[in-house]
Coordinates of all heavy atoms in Angstrom, one line a residue:
T3 N 105.8 85.0 132.4 CA 104.7 84.0 132.7 C 104.8 82.9 131.7 O 104.9 83.1 130.5 CB 103.3 84.7 132.6 OG1 103.3 85.8 133.4 CG2 102.3 83.7 132.9
S4 N 104.9 81.7 132.2 CA 105.0 80.5 131.2 C 103.6 80.0 131.0 O 102.7 80.0 131.9 CB 105.9 79.4 131.8 OG 105.3 78.9 133.0
L5 N 103.4 79.5 129.8 CA 102.1 78.9 129.5 C 102.0 77.4 129.9 O 103.0 76.7 129.8 CB 101.8 79.0 128.0 CG 101.8 80.4 127.4 CD1 101.8 80.3 125.9 CD2 100.6 81.1 127.9
P6 N 100.9 77.0 130.4 CA 100.8 75.6 130.8 C 100.8 74.7 129.6 O 100.3 75.1 128.6 CB 99.4 75.5 131.6 CG 98.6 76.7 131.0 CD 99.7 77.8 130.7
V7 N 101.3 73.5 129.8 CA 101.3 72.5 128.7 C 100.1 71.6 128.9 O 100.1 70.7 129.7 CB 102.6 71.7 128.7 CG1 102.6 70.7 127.6 CG2 103.8 72.7 128.5
N8 N 99.1 71.9 128.1 CA 97.9 71.1 128.3 C 97.8 69.9 127.3 O 97.2 68.9 127.6 CB 96.6 72.0 127.9 CG 96.5 73.1 129.0 OD1 97.0 72.9 130.1 ND2 95.8 74.1 128.6
N9 N 98.5 70.0 126.2 CA 98.4 68.9 125.2 C 99.9 68.5 124.8 O 100.5 69.2 124.0 CB 97.6 69.4 124.0 CG 97.4 68.2 123.1 OD1 97.9 67.2 123.2 ND2 96.6 68.5 122.1
P10 N 100.4 67.4 125.3 CA 101.7 67.0 125.0 C 101.9 66.4 123.5 O 103.0 66.2 123.1 CB 102.1 65.9 126.0 CG 100.7 65.4 126.4 CD 99.8 66.5 126.2
A11 N 100.8 66.2 122.8 CA 100.9 65.7 121.5 C 101.5 66.7 120.5 O 101.3 67.8 120.6 CB 99.5 65.3 121.0
P12 N 102.4 66.2 119.7 CA 103.1 67.1 118.7 C 102.0 67.7 117.8 O 101.0 67.1 117.6 CB 104.0 66.2 117.9 CG 104.1 64.9 118.6 CD 102.9 64.8 119.5
P13 N 102.2 68.9 117.3 CA 101.3 69.6 116.4 C 100.8 68.7 115.2 O 99.7 68.8 114.8 CB 102.0 70.8 115.9 CG 103.1 71.0 116.9 CD 103.4 69.7 117.5
E14 N 101.8 67.9 114.7 CA 101.4 67.1 113.5 C 100.3 66.1 113.9 O 99.5 65.8 113.0 CB 102.6 66.2 113.1 CG 103.7 67.0 112.5 CD 104.7 67.6 113.6 OE1 104.6 67.2 114.7 OE2 105.5 68.5 113.2
E15 N 100.2 65.6 115.1 CA 99.1 64.7 115.4 C 97.8 65.4 115.7 O 96.8 64.7 115.8 CB 99.6 63.9 116.7 CG 100.7 63.0 116.4 CD 101.2 62.2 117.7 OE1 100.4 62.2 118.7 OE2 102.2 61.6 117.6
Q16 N 97.8 66.7 115.8 CA 96.6 67.4 116.0 C 95.9 67.7 114.7 O 94.7 68.1 114.7 CB 96.9 68.7 116.8 CG 97.4 68.5 118.1 CD 97.8 69.8 118.8 OE1 97.4 70.8 118.4 NE2 98.7 69.6 119.8
K17 N 96.6 67.5 113.6 CA 96.0 67.8 112.3 C 95.1 66.7 111.9 O 95.1 65.6 112.5 CB 97.1 67.9 111.2 CG 98.1 69.1 111.4 CD 99.1 69.0 110.3 CE 100.1 70.1 110.5 NZ 101.2 70.1 109.5
D18 N 94.2 66.9 110.8 CA 93.5 65.8 110.3 C 94.4 64.7 109.8 O 95.5 65.0 109.4 CB 92.7 66.3 109.1 CG 91.5 67.2 109.5 OD1 91.2 67.2 110.7 OD2 90.9 67.8 108.6
Q19 N 93.9 63.5 109.8 CA 94.8 62.4 109.4 C 95.2 62.5 108.0 O 96.2 62.0 107.6 CB 94.1 61.1 109.7 CG 94.0 60.8 111.2 CD 93.5 59.4 111.5 OE1 93.2 58.7 110.6 NE2 93.5 59.1 112.8
G20 N 94.3 63.2 107.2 CA 94.6 63.3 105.7 C 95.8 64.3 105.5 O 96.4 64.3 104.5
N21 N 96.1 65.2 106.4 CA 97.2 66.1 106.3 C 98.4 65.6 106.9 O 98.5 65.4 108.1 CB 96.8 67.4 107.0 CG 95.7 68.1 106.3 OD1 95.4 67.9 105.1 ND2 95.0 69.0 107.0
K22 N 99.4 65.2 106.1 CA 100.7 64.7 106.5 C 101.7 65.8 106.3 O 101.6 66.6 105.4 CB 101.0 63.4 105.8 CG 100.1 62.3 106.1 CD 100.5 61.1 105.3 CE 99.6 59.9 105.6 NZ 98.2 60.1 105.9
S23 N 102.7 65.8 107.2 CA 103.7 66.8 107.1 C 105.1 66.2 106.9 O 105.5 65.3 107.7 CB 103.8 67.6 108.5 OG 104.9 68.5 108.5
L24 N 105.8 66.6 105.8 CA 107.1 66.1 105.5 C 108.1 67.2 105.9 O 108.1 68.3 105.4 CB 107.2 65.9 104.0 CG 108.6 65.5 103.4 CD1 109.1 64.2 104.0 CD2 108.6 65.4 101.9
S25 N 108.9 66.8 106.9 CA 109.8 67.8 107.5 C 111.2 67.7 107.2 O 112.0 68.6 107.3 CB 109.6 67.9 109.0 OG 109.8 66.6 109.6
L26 N 111.7 66.5 106.8 CA 113.1 66.2 106.6 C 113.3 65.0 105.7 O 112.6 64.0 105.8 CB 113.8 66.0 107.9 CG 115.3 65.7 107.9 CD1 116.1 67.0 107.5 CD2 115.8 65.3 109.3
I27 N 114.3 65.1 104.8 CA 114.7 64.0 104.0 C 116.2 63.9 104.1 O 117.0 64.8 104.0 CB 114.4 64.2 102.5 CG1 112.8 64.2 102.3 CG2 115.0 63.1 101.6 CD1 112.4 64.5 100.9
I28 N 116.7 62.6 104.4 CA 118.1 62.4 104.5 C 118.5 61.3 103.5 O 117.9 60.2 103.6 CB 118.5 61.9 106.0 CG1 118.1 63.0 107.0 CG2 120.0 61.6 106.1 CD1 118.1 62.5 108.4
I29 N 119.4 61.6 102.7 CA 119.9 60.6 101.7 C 121.4 60.4 101.9 O 122.1 61.4 101.7 CB 119.5 60.9 100.3 CG1 118.0 61.0 100.1 CG2 120.1 60.0 99.3 CD1 117.5 61.5 98.7
S30 N 121.8 59.2 102.2 CA 123.2 59.0 102.4 C 123.6 57.7 101.6 O 123.2 56.6 102.0 CB 123.6 58.8 103.9 OG 124.9 58.4 104.0
G31 N 124.1 57.9 100.4 CA 124.4 56.7 99.6 C 123.0 56.1 99.1 O 122.2 56.8 98.7
A32 N 122.9 54.8 99.4 CA 121.6 54.2 99.0 C 120.6 54.2 100.1 O 119.4 53.9 99.9 CB 121.9 52.7 98.7
D33 N 121.0 54.8 101.3 CA 120.1 54.8 102.4 C 119.3 56.1 102.4 O 119.8 57.2 102.4 CB 120.9 54.8 103.8 CG 120.0 54.7 105.0 OD1 118.9 54.0 104.9 OD2 120.4 55.3 106.0
K34 N 117.9 56.0 102.3 CA 117.0 57.1 102.2 C 116.0 57.1 103.3 O 115.4 56.1 103.5 CB 116.3 57.1 100.8 CG 117.2 57.1 99.6 CD 116.4 57.0 98.4 CE 117.3 57.0 97.1 NZ 116.5 56.8 95.9
T35 N 115.9 58.2 104.0 CA 115.0 58.3 105.1 C 114.2 59.6 105.0 O 114.8 60.6 104.8 CB 115.7 58.2 106.5 OG1 116.4 57.0 106.6 CG2 114.7 58.2 107.7
A36 N 112.9 59.6 105.3 CA 112.1 60.8 105.3 C 111.4 60.9 106.7 O 111.2 59.8 107.3 CB 111.1 60.8 104.2
I37 N 111.2 62.1 107.2 CA 110.5 62.3 108.4 C 109.1 62.8 108.1 O 109.0 63.9 107.6 CB 111.2 63.2 109.4 CG1 112.6 62.8 109.6 CG2 110.4 63.4 110.7 CD1 112.8 61.5 110.3
I38 N 108.1 62.0 108.3 CA 106.7 62.4 108.0 C 105.9 62.3 109.4 O 105.9 61.3 110.0 CB 106.0 61.4 107.0 CG1 106.8 61.5 105.7 CG2 104.5 61.8 106.8 CD1 106.3 60.5 104.6
N39 N 105.3 63.5 109.7 CA 104.6 63.6 111.0 C 105.5 63.2 112.2 O 105.0 62.5 113.1 CB 103.3 62.8 111.0 CG 102.3 63.3 110.1 OD1 102.5 64.4 109.5 ND2 101.2 62.7 109.9
G40 N 106.8 63.5 112.1 CA 107.7 63.2 113.2 C 108.2 61.7 113.2 O 108.9 61.3 114.1
V41 N 107.8 60.9 112.2 CA 108.1 59.5 112.2 C 109.1 59.2 111.1 O 108.8 59.6 109.9 CB 106.9 58.6 112.0 CG1 107.2 57.1 111.9 CG2 105.8 58.9 113.1
P42 N 110.3 58.6 111.4 CA 111.2 58.3 110.3 C 110.7 57.1 109.5 O 110.2 56.1 110.0 CB 112.5 57.9 111.0 CG 112.1 57.6 112.4 CD 110.8 58.3 112.7
V43 N 110.7 57.2 108.1 CA 110.2 56.2 107.2 C 111.2 56.0 106.1 O 112.0 56.9 105.8 CB 108.8 56.5 106.6 CG1 107.8 56.5 107.7 CG2 108.8 57.8 105.9
K44 N 111.2 54.8 105.6 CA 112.1 54.4 104.4 C 111.2 53.9 103.3 O 110.0 53.6 103.5 CB 113.1 53.3 104.8 CG 114.0 53.8 105.9 CD 115.1 52.7 106.2 CE 116.1 53.2 107.2 NZ 117.0 54.2 106.8
E45 N 111.7 53.8 102.1 CA 111.0 53.3 101.0 C 110.5 51.9 101.3 O 111.2 51.1 101.9 CB 111.8 53.3 99.7 CG 112.2 54.6 99.2 CD 113.1 54.6 98.0 OE1 113.7 53.6 97.6 OE2 113.3 55.7 97.4
G46 N 109.2 51.7 101.0 CA 108.5 50.4 101.3 C 107.8 50.4 102.6 O 106.9 49.5 102.9
D47 N 108.1 51.3 103.5 CA 107.4 51.5 104.8 C 106.0 52.0 104.6 O 105.6 52.5 103.5 CB 108.1 52.4 105.8 CG 109.4 51.9 106.3 OD1 109.7 50.7 106.1 OD2 110.1 52.6 107.0
R48 N 105.1 51.8 105.6 CA 103.8 52.4 105.6 C 103.6 53.3 106.7 O 104.1 53.2 107.8 CB 102.7 51.2 105.7 CG 102.8 50.2 104.6 CD 101.7 49.2 104.7 NE 100.4 49.7 104.1 CZ 100.1 49.8 102.9 NH1 101.0 49.6 102.0 NH2 98.9 50.2 102.5
I49 N 102.8 54.4 106.4 CA 102.5 55.4 107.5 C 101.0 55.6 107.3 O 100.6 56.0 106.2 CB 103.3 56.6 107.4 CG1 103.0 57.5 108.6 CG2 103.2 57.4 106.1 CD1 104.0 58.6 108.9
A50 N 100.2 55.4 108.3 CA 98.7 55.5 108.2 C 98.3 54.5 107.1 O 98.7 53.3 107.1 CB 98.3 56.9 108.0
D51 N 97.6 55.0 106.1 CA 97.1 54.1 105.0 C 97.9 54.3 103.8 O 97.5 53.8 102.7 CB 95.6 54.4 104.7 CG 95.4 55.9 104.3 OD1 96.4 56.7 104.6 OD2 94.4 56.2 103.7
M52 N 99.1 54.9 103.9 CA 99.9 55.2 102.7 C 101.2 54.4 102.7 O 101.8 54.2 103.8 CB 100.3 56.7 102.7 CG 99.1 57.6 102.8 SD 98.1 57.7 101.4 CE 99.0 58.7 100.3
K53 N 101.6 53.9 101.5 CA 102.9 53.2 101.4 C 103.9 54.2 100.8 O 103.6 55.0 99.9 CB 102.8 52.1 100.4 CG 104.1 51.3 100.2 CD 103.9 50.1 99.3 CE 105.2 49.4 99.2 NZ 105.1 48.2 98.3
I54 N 105.2 54.2 101.4 CA 106.2 55.1 100.9 C 106.8 54.4 99.7 O 107.5 53.3 99.8 CB 107.3 55.3 102.0 CG1 106.7 55.7 103.3 CG2 108.4 56.2 101.5 CD1 105.9 56.9 103.3
V55 N 106.6 54.9 98.5 CA 107.0 54.3 97.2 C 108.4 54.7 96.9 O 109.3 53.9 96.6 CB 106.1 54.7 96.1 CG1 106.6 54.1 94.8 CG2 104.7 54.2 96.4
K56 N 108.7 56.1 97.0 CA 110.0 56.6 96.6 C 110.4 57.8 97.4 O 109.5 58.6 97.7 CB 109.9 56.9 95.1 CG 111.3 57.4 94.5 CD 111.2 57.5 93.0 CE 112.5 57.8 92.5 NZ 112.8 57.3 91.2
I57 N 111.6 58.0 97.8 CA 112.1 59.1 98.5 C 113.2 59.8 97.6 O 114.1 59.2 97.2 CB 112.7 58.8 99.8 CG1 111.7 58.1 100.7 CG2 113.4 60.0 100.5 CD1 112.2 57.6 102.1
E58 N 113.0 61.1 97.3 CA 113.9 61.9 96.5 C 114.4 63.0 97.4 O 114.0 63.2 98.5 CB 113.2 62.4 95.2 CG 112.8 61.3 94.3 CD 112.3 61.7 92.9 OE1 112.1 63.0 92.8 OE2 112.1 60.9 92.1
T59 N 115.3 63.8 96.8 CA 116.0 64.9 97.6 C 115.0 65.9 98.2 O 115.3 66.5 99.2 CB 117.0 65.6 96.8 OG1 116.5 66.1 95.6 CG2 118.2 64.7 96.5
D60 N 113.9 66.2 97.5 CA 113.0 67.2 98.0 C 111.5 66.8 98.0 O 110.6 67.6 98.2 CB 113.1 68.5 97.1 CG 112.7 68.2 95.6 OD1 112.6 67.0 95.2 OD2 112.4 69.2 94.9
R61 N 111.2 65.5 97.8 CA 109.9 65.0 97.8 C 109.8 63.5 98.1 O 110.8 62.8 97.9 CB 109.2 65.3 96.5 CG 109.8 64.7 95.3 CD 109.2 65.2 94.0 NE 109.8 64.5 92.8 CZ 109.3 64.5 91.6 NH1 108.2 65.2 91.4 NH2 109.8 63.8 90.7
V62 N 108.6 63.0 98.4 CA 108.4 61.6 98.7 C 107.1 61.2 98.0 O 106.1 61.9 98.0 CB 108.2 61.4 100.3 CG1 107.7 60.0 100.6 CG2 109.4 61.8 101.0
L63 N 107.1 60.1 97.3 CA 106.0 59.5 96.6 C 105.2 58.6 97.5 O 105.8 57.6 98.0 CB 106.4 58.9 95.3 CG 105.3 58.3 94.4 CD1 104.4 59.5 94.0 CD2 105.9 57.6 93.2
L64 N 103.9 58.9 97.8 CA 103.1 58.0 98.6 C 102.0 57.4 97.7 O 101.6 57.9 96.7 CB 102.4 58.9 99.6 CG 103.3 59.7 100.5 CD1 102.4 60.7 101.4 CD2 104.1 58.9 101.5
K65 N 101.6 56.2 98.2 CA 100.5 55.5 97.4 C 99.5 54.9 98.4 O 99.9 54.2 99.4 CB 101.2 54.4 96.6 CG 100.1 53.6 95.8 CD 100.8 52.5 95.0 CE 99.7 51.7 94.2 NZ 100.3 50.6 93.6
N66 N 98.3 55.1 98.1 CA 97.2 54.3 98.7 C 96.4 53.8 97.5 O 96.8 52.9 96.8 CB 96.4 55.0 99.8 CG 95.7 56.3 99.3 OD1 95.8 56.7 98.2 ND2 95.0 56.9 100.2
K67 N 95.3 54.5 97.1 CA 94.6 54.1 95.9 C 95.2 54.9 94.7 O 95.0 54.4 93.6 CB 93.1 54.4 96.1 CG 92.4 53.6 97.1 CD 91.0 54.0 97.3 CE 90.4 53.1 98.5 NZ 89.2 53.6 98.9
T68 N 95.8 56.0 95.0 CA 96.4 56.8 93.9 C 97.8 57.2 94.4 O 98.2 57.0 95.5 CB 95.6 58.1 93.7 OG1 95.6 58.9 94.9 CG2 94.2 57.8 93.2
L69 N 98.6 57.7 93.5 CA 100.0 58.1 93.8 C 99.9 59.6 94.1 O 99.2 60.4 93.5 CB 100.9 57.9 92.6 CG 101.2 56.4 92.3 CD1 102.0 56.3 91.0 CD2 102.0 55.8 93.4
K70 N 100.7 60.1 95.1 CA 100.7 61.5 95.5 C 102.1 61.8 95.9 O 102.7 61.2 96.8 CB 99.7 61.7 96.7 CG 99.7 63.1 97.2 CD 98.9 63.2 98.5 CE 99.1 64.5 99.1 NZ 98.7 64.6 100.5
W71 N 102.6 62.9 95.4 CA 103.9 63.5 95.8 C 103.7 64.4 97.0 O 102.8 65.2 97.0 CB 104.6 64.3 94.7 CG 105.2 63.4 93.6 CD1 104.7 63.2 92.4 CD2 106.4 62.7 93.7 NE1 105.5 62.4 91.7 CE2 106.6 62.0 92.4 CE3 107.4 62.5 94.7 CZ2 107.7 61.2 92.2 CZ3 108.5 61.7 94.4 CH2 108.6 61.1 93.1
M72 N 104.6 64.2 98.0 CA 104.6 65.1 99.2 C 105.9 65.9 99.1 O 107.0 65.3 99.0 CB 104.5 64.3 100.5 CG 104.6 65.1 101.7 SD 104.5 64.1 103.2 CE 102.8 63.9 103.3
Y73 N 105.8 67.2 99.2 CA 107.0 68.0 99.1 C 107.5 68.6 100.4 O 106.6 68.7 101.3 CB 106.7 69.2 98.1 CG 106.5 68.7 96.7 CD1 105.3 68.4 96.3 CD2 107.6 68.6 95.8 CE1 105.1 67.9 95.0 CE2 107.4 68.2 94.5 CZ 106.1 67.8 94.1 OH 105.9 67.4 92.8
L74 N 108.8 68.8 100.6 CA 109.3 69.4 101.8 C 108.6 70.8 102.0 O 108.4 71.5 101.1 CB 110.8 69.6 101.7 CG 111.7 68.4 102.0 CD1 113.1 68.7 101.7 CD2 111.5 68.0 103.5
E75 N 108.3 71.1 103.3 CA 107.6 72.3 103.6 C 108.7 73.4 103.8 O 109.8 73.2 104.1 CB 106.8 72.2 104.9 CG 105.7 71.2 104.7 CD 104.8 71.1 106.0 OE1 105.3 71.5 107.0 OE2 103.8 70.6 105.8

């Protein structure tokens, strides 16, 4: 028996907006990309009310009024 698909939104979008999910970091030379809530972002980009300040191998630094490190899950 298959379950009906009632909500096509990804699970990340069902969370509170304050809860962001870091699922992947790709660093190739100087090119750094992180996947937050299923969205690819680079340093300097914005996601919701947060600016991507820095991307490292296992964490991303976000800034709105304060700085906050987000770690790979």
Side-chain angles (χ1 to χ4, degrees):
T3 305
S4 64
L5 297 172
V7 178
N8 294 337
N9 188 352
E14 294 83 11
E15 294 180 11
Q16 296 174 18
K17 295 179 182 176
D18 285 349
Q19 289 188 356
N21 293 337
K22 293 179 179 33
S23 171
L24 174 62
S25 57
L26 181 68
I27 294 175
I28 301 168
I29 298 177
S30 178
D33 188 35
K34 301 175 183 178
T35 303
I37 307 297
I38 299 176
N39 291 356
V41 178
V43 294
K44 295 184 180 289
E45 291 177 349
D47 288 353
R48 296 186 83 72
I49 185 163
D51 59 341
M52 308 290 282
K53 180 177 180 181
I54 310 304
V55 177
K56 185 170 186 150
I57 298 174
E58 295 185 351
T59 56
D60 63 344
R61 63 187 185 165
V62 173
L63 183 60
L64 303 171
K65 179 182 179 186
N66 59 1
K67 294 176 184 167
T68 61
L69 293 172
K70 176 187 170 195
W71 283 104
M72 175 181 278
Y73 293 88
L74 277 173
E75 296 181 346

